[in-house]
């Protein structure tokens, strides 16, 4: 019984990571580093939060809009201004 509970907990805690989230968060992390931004940024936390928001239909449009903004701008200053 214990093994079943552990397996369920592990499965529940593991969110699938989308390619879009990985790409957007990697770009944002790169821009934070390049610009020496004082804003703390954790790429893994970004990917996890993005995946949760992406799975929520109420937030999916916001995730798509943010991803489009980040990926269309070549300048890091513009990327960091994306909302």
């Amino acid at each position: 019984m214990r093994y079943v509970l552990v397996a369920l907990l592990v499965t529940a805690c593991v969110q699938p990571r989308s390619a879009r989230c990985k790409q957007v968060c990697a770009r944002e992390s790169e821009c934070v580093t390049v610009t020496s931004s004082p804003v703390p940024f954790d790429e893994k936390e970004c990917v996890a939060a993005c995946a949760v928001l992406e799975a929520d239909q109420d937030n999916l449009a916001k995730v798509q809009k943010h991803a489009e903004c980040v990926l269309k701008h070549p300048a890091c200053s513009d990327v960091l201004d994306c909302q």
Side-chain angles (χ1 to χ4, degrees), residues 36-59:
S36 300
S37 174
V39 177
F41 187 85
D42 185 316
E43 187 174 343
K44 289 180 183 178
E45 285 181 15
C46 174
V47 173
C50 177
V52 169
L53 291 171
E54 191 176 51
D56 179 6
Q57 290 301 312
D58 294 335
N59 289 304

Side-chain angles (χ1 to χ4, degrees), residues 1 4-5 8 10 12 17 20-21 29 43 46 53-54 57 62 65 67-69 73 76 78 81:
M1 182 68 172
V4 172
L5 290 175
L8 285 173
V10 169
R17 306 295 188 237
R20 173 180 29 211
C21 290
S29 179
E43 187 174 343
C46 174
L53 291 171
E54 191 176 51
Q57 290 301 312
K62 292 177 188 176
K65 182 179 176 184
E68 289 170 6
C69 180
H73 290 295
C76 280
D78 294 333
D81 286 338

